[in-house]
Amino acid sequence: MISLSFLFLFLYIVSCSHEQAQNEQLTKAERIVYSQPDSVVRMLAPNYTDTTMTLADRALYGLLYTEALHRSGLSVESDSLIRVSRDYYEHWGDDEHLARTLLHHAIILYKQQQTHEAVLTMKRAEKLASNSHELAFLWYLYSVLGDVNDNVGNSTQTLRYYKKALSAARGCKNNLWIVQTLNNIAMTFDMLGQQDSLKYYTNQAKPYAANTDGEVRATYLVNQASYLLGTGRQTTAKQILMESMLISPTDRGSKLLADIYMQEKDTVSAVEQWYRLTNSISPDVAIQSYRLLIDYLNRRGDKDNAAEYSQRLNEVYHGLYERHDVAGIIDLQAQYDEQQKERQQYRLTIFMLSTIIILIITAIIIIKYSRHRIDVLNTRFVESQQQYKLTRSELTQMRKQKEREQRENSHQMKEVVSRLHASANKGKPATDEDSNDLAQLSYAQSPELRELLSVLNSKEQMVCLLTIQNFLPTEIATLTISTPQTITNTRVRLLKKLFDETGGAKDFDNIIKTKFNKYEKN
């Protein structure tokens, strides 16, 4: 029976266990996906149609391959692969992988112009990653969220996310990411017309920018040129822009060059830039370039080309209208954040109420226990008081009984002593009755005396008892039918025998009377 129980428990654990990816190639790819995404793409691309993978391996493959493509600057048209990963990690509650999967699924949805679903998916990824310590992932997450808000002109959120991305990049100590993020922040402030902030963040990037190339290096130079243009240093700015275009042409660099050409009256060069900028991924840049180009064509009298580009501009407007709901995206994020705050507040309220209820219940239990303890202690106290009174009463009765017995003994002793004195005065020996009464009363008053005299014969005991009662030696001799000298010799002998001391008869009298003087007083 026990074996069956263990078997069922084992089967239950196996059925509920999270299947782990076993593919060594995937394990290696996950280690380098942040630092070498291009290598991961080349490594995983041949396995795209592999049908022998386990479900766990397939889920991880979908995540890593999509993640590597996005980090390499490549786009993914279909979300079929990443959906497998999302379903798997949602089923098993793997928050770390699920957050990454949600982010890259959201990027695909955003490319597919499913903007609202994409933004909500990104916000969900952000929530799952709130306690993550994977800075490389957090940098990419916040960078994407910053880009999305930048696309709809939500500068407040854009800067907030870019600054969080900057913190993550610095935590990773990745100079390329630091420069890239500083470039983004500087561009945002440039769009807002805040030249001081543009200069500050451009200068922040300067120590790292020298070791960068490509678009990152070109963007840094464009930011530098934009600041110089804002301060009137057009010639230096133009030289820097030309340098940036040689490294990697950018839409923003082309726009600034076109503006410089127009100021220099070099319309031909400006038009060349406008033609290029009509294909810009930035709707604002494309629209402005179309307008300037159409105006130029109209001034030249080229009505046909002007009409053609006007039609293209309308298509851009139409596409922009269909693709972007700027206010909706901003409100969507605000509502999501507000809902999260409300949920957090609700959870906090529930936690506090639960804590209060637990404290109240604990207090009630403590109070009831304390009252019970007090009742028990009160009962014990009352019982103790009653016992004390009973004991005190018994002790009082015993003391009174003892006092009464002592008084009776004392009275009887006086009578016996009086009779013995009378017998001695008449020259008669003590009667057996008086001798017995004297011994009984003396031993009753002092058990120690009985023990001390137990080694003596009856006559020696009588000598001791009469001595304690202050009888004269002559009286003792008469009462014991002895001579005074015999009594004296007996007392000397008893001093040695009872107290192991040497001396005279009076020394014996003093010692025995001193030891038992209380009985003499009684």
Side-chain angles (χ1 to χ4, degrees):
M1 190 67 181
I2 295 176
S3 299
L4 286 175
S5 299
F6 277 112
L7 177 60
F8 286 131
L9 178 61
F10 173 75
L11 292 175
Y12 175 77
I13 292 173
V14 170
S15 64
C16 295
S17 296
H18 182 356
E19 183 184 5
Q20 299 294 324
Q22 300 295 325
N23 192 305
E24 293 183 3
Q25 187 182 50
L26 294 177
T27 303
K28 178 182 177 181
E30 188 163 24
R31 287 199 301 266
I32 64 173
V33 69
Y34 297 140
S35 58
Q36 304 175 47
D38 295 335
S39 299
V40 172
V41 172
R42 290 192 297 271
M43 184 190 307
L44 299 183
N47 300 327
Y48 190 85
T49 58
D50 185 356
T51 58
T52 62
M53 291 186 188
T54 64
L55 189 59
D57 286 342
R58 193 65 186 171
L60 184 57
Y61 176 86
L63 168 60
L64 294 176
Y65 187 61
T66 306
E67 191 170 28
L69 287 171
H70 286 158
R71 283 181 172 265
S72 299
L74 303 173
S75 60
V76 181
E77 298 297 329
S78 173
D79 65 348
S80 58
L81 186 62
I82 198 69
R83 275 192 180 277
V84 173
S85 305
R86 178 172 177 174
D87 292 342
Y88 179 83
Y89 292 126
E90 281 185 330
H91 174 74
W92 291 109
D94 187 341
D95 288 349
E96 180 182 351
H97 286 92
L98 180 58
R100 291 161 58 188
T101 303
L102 289 173
L103 173 61
H104 292 283
H105 190 196
I107 293 172
I108 297 174
L109 293 172
Y110 193 79
K111 296 284 186 182
Q112 294 174 346
Q113 299 185 20
Q114 300 182 48
T115 311
H116 283 67
E117 185 180 352
V119 172
L120 285 176
T121 305
M122 286 182 192
K123 295 296 289 184
R124 187 181 168 199
E126 179 189 14
K127 181 178 181 297
L128 287 175
S130 58
N131 296 321
S132 175
H133 299 291
E134 185 55 71
L135 296 177
F137 168 65
L138 292 176
W139 170 79
Y140 195 78
L141 169 67
Y142 295 136
S143 296
V144 171
L145 283 166
D147 291 342
V148 170
N149 282 278
D150 184 44
N151 290 340
V152 296
N154 188 3
S155 57
T156 301
Q157 288 289 75
T158 299
L159 289 171
R160 183 172 77 88
Y161 282 121
Y162 280 159
K163 287 179 180 179
K164 293 179 77 171
L166 178 61
S167 177
R170 283 176 170 159
C172 292
K173 298 181 180 179
N174 188 306
N175 292 343
L176 180 63
W177 295 352
I178 292 173
V179 176
Q180 188 175 338
T181 310
L182 287 169
N183 285 343
N184 290 337
I185 297 174
M187 280 193 295
T188 305
F189 280 117
D190 190 21
M191 296 298 179
L192 294 173
Q194 298 183 23
Q195 292 293 299
D196 290 341
S197 295
L198 167 62
K199 179 184 178 182
Y200 174 79
Y201 284 100
T202 302
N203 288 338
Q204 288 280 306
K206 186 176 181 179
Y208 311 99
N211 297 320
T212 60
D213 54 17
E215 186 177 354
V216 175
R217 171 68 177 171
T219 303
Y220 164 75
L221 293 174
V222 171
N223 285 335
Q224 196 175 37
S226 181
Y227 174 74
L228 293 172
L229 281 174
T231 57
R233 287 174 280 183
Q234 183 172 305
T235 303
T236 307
K238 183 178 179 181
Q239 293 174 351
I240 294 175
L241 286 172
M242 296 298 292
E243 181 185 352
S244 74
M245 297 300 286
L246 291 174
I247 296 172
S248 178
T250 61
D251 292 347
R252 189 155 154 263
S254 296
K255 180 181 179 301
L256 292 176
L257 269 178
D259 293 342
I260 292 175
Y261 288 142
M262 286 299 295
Q263 291 179 14
E264 294 176 344
K265 309 301 182 181
D266 186 356
T267 308
V268 175
S269 297
V271 170
E272 182 181 346
Q273 298 298 326
W274 293 338
Y275 273 115
R276 179 180 174 278
L277 290 172
T278 56
N279 296 315
S280 174
I281 61 174
S282 171
D284 293 336
V285 173
I287 290 170
Q288 184 181 13
S289 300
Y290 270 116
R291 287 176 176 174
L292 292 170
L293 185 59
I294 293 168
D295 183 61
Y296 167 75
L297 293 172
N298 283 326
R299 282 188 280 108
R300 284 188 59 186
D302 190 350
K303 301 299 182 182
D304 292 338
N305 281 328
E308 181 183 347
Y309 280 99
S310 294
Q311 179 62 33
R312 292 183 183 180
L313 177 58
N314 289 334
E315 292 175 358
V316 172
Y317 278 128
H318 182 71
L320 183 63
Y321 175 79
E322 288 185 341
R323 180 176 179 181
H324 292 292
D325 178 7
V326 174
I329 293 175
I330 295 174
D331 290 342
L332 186 65
Q333 292 183 86
Q335 289 173 9
Y336 186 91
D337 290 337
E338 186 63 30
Q339 288 176 357
Q340 294 304 312
K341 288 181 181 178
E342 289 177 357
R343 289 177 182 175
Q344 182 67 23
Q345 187 64 37
Y346 175 77
R347 286 194 290 267
L348 180 61
T349 301
I350 293 298
F351 173 76
M352 293 181 66
L353 287 175
S354 301
T355 303
I356 291 172
I357 292 172
I358 292 173
L359 290 174
I360 290 173
I361 293 174
T362 304
I364 291 173
I365 293 173
I366 292 174
I367 291 172
K368 285 185 173 294
Y369 176 76
S370 299
R371 286 182 176 176
H372 174 71
R373 288 290 299 165
I374 291 172
D375 291 341
V376 170
L377 292 174
N378 284 337
T379 302
R380 290 180 180 177
F381 177 75
V382 170
E383 292 176 352
S384 300
Q385 287 290 95
Q386 292 175 347
Q387 186 65 36
Y388 171 75
K389 290 179 180 179
L390 179 61
T391 304
R392 184 176 180 182
S393 176
E394 291 177 352
L395 290 174
T396 301
Q397 292 178 0
M398 290 175 62
R399 180 177 56 80
K400 289 180 178 179
Q401 177 66 24
K402 186 175 181 180
E403 290 176 351
R404 186 165 53 251
E405 290 176 355
Q406 287 178 348
R407 284 195 300 271
E408 291 177 356
N409 288 344
S410 178
H411 178 71
Q412 292 176 2
M413 179 67 76
K414 289 179 180 179
E415 290 180 351
V416 171
V417 170
S418 177
R419 289 199 303 271
L420 288 171
H421 276 295
S423 296
N425 291 333
K426 293 177 181 179
K428 294 180 179 181
T431 64
D432 292 341
E433 181 182 358
D434 288 341
S435 297
N436 291 334
D437 288 344
L438 177 64
Q440 289 178 2
L441 291 173
S442 296
Y443 295 149
Q445 289 178 349
S446 175
E448 293 86 351
L449 181 61
R450 178 194 295 274
E451 183 178 357
L452 178 66
L453 304 184
S454 62
V455 297
L456 305 179
N457 56 40
S458 58
K459 187 173 183 179
E460 290 175 335
Q461 289 182 21
M462 191 63 177
V463 171
C464 292
L465 294 176
L466 291 172
T467 301
I468 292 172
Q469 296 299 328
N470 295 316
F471 278 82
L472 296 175
T474 54
E475 291 179 310
I476 297 173
T478 300
L479 293 172
T480 59
I481 314 175
S482 303
T483 64
Q485 185 59 46
T486 301
I487 296 303
T488 299
N489 295 337
T490 300
R491 286 152 57 203
V492 172
R493 188 176 65 257
L494 290 174
L495 175 63
K496 179 65 176 177
K497 186 175 183 179
L498 295 177
F499 305 113
D500 194 26
E501 292 186 13
T502 57
K506 289 189 178 295
D507 295 326
F508 169 77
D509 295 346
N510 292 333
I511 290 175
I512 198 168
K513 287 180 181 179
T514 300
K515 280 184 173 292
F516 300 101
N517 58 356
K518 56 182 179 180
Y519 305 107
E520 176 189 344
K521 291 177 182 178
N522 289 334

